[in-house]
Amino acid sequence: MTNDLDFILEHYKNPQNFGHLDKPDIVHEEGNPSCGDQIRIELKVENDRIADIRFSGKGCAISQAAASIFTEEIKGKTLEEVKNFDKQKMLDLLGIEISGMRMKCAMLALKIVKVGAYGLAAWRDEDE
Ligand code: FES
């Protein structure tokens, strides 16, 4: 039986959308200051939709699995839908208990897409 932790580990071992895009429309990279891990996300946008997405970089199992799961989730979604994607939705998607220390790991990919696509200063302030 697959439990939620297996789901995370599976994405960590076999990340989806890992790599680079040819001529992405948006590229944004950020790190988790508490550990120095860094993730880069590349987006291709067509007709206000995420036509394609890739991530690269290094990070712990939670941050890498979260990037894999999140990029799968938002591929094909409209920018408006992505804009409305919040922390709670990300936690629901991951399906495991995330402790305070690990919250930045779990939210890194979401933060990068939001800051990259919209320059959402509010998100950045809220997170510091
Ligand atoms: Fe670095 Fe999780 S410990 S992103």
Side-chain angles (χ1 to χ4, degrees), residues 17-31:
N17 307 310
F18 192 87
H20 297 280
L21 288 175
D22 191 30
K23 300 200 190 96
D25 296 308
I26 297 167
V27 176
H28 192 66
E29 183 172 336
E30 287 210 25

Side-chain angles (χ1 to χ4, degrees), residues 69-87:
I69 294 163
F70 180 59
T71 52
E72 271 298 275
E73 176 70 15
I74 64 170
K75 203 194 290 182
K77 295 258 191 314
T78 64
L79 291 176
E80 194 57 31
E81 285 171 312
V82 174
K83 204 172 187 173
N84 292 327
F85 204 98
D86 59 14
K87 288 184 179 182

Side-chain angles (χ1 to χ4, degrees), residues 32 35-37 59-60 62-63 102 104-105 108:
N32 182 349
C35 64
D37 290 341
C60 64
I62 302 246
S63 71
R102 292 305 215 164
K104 278 187 197 296
C105 309
L108 189 54

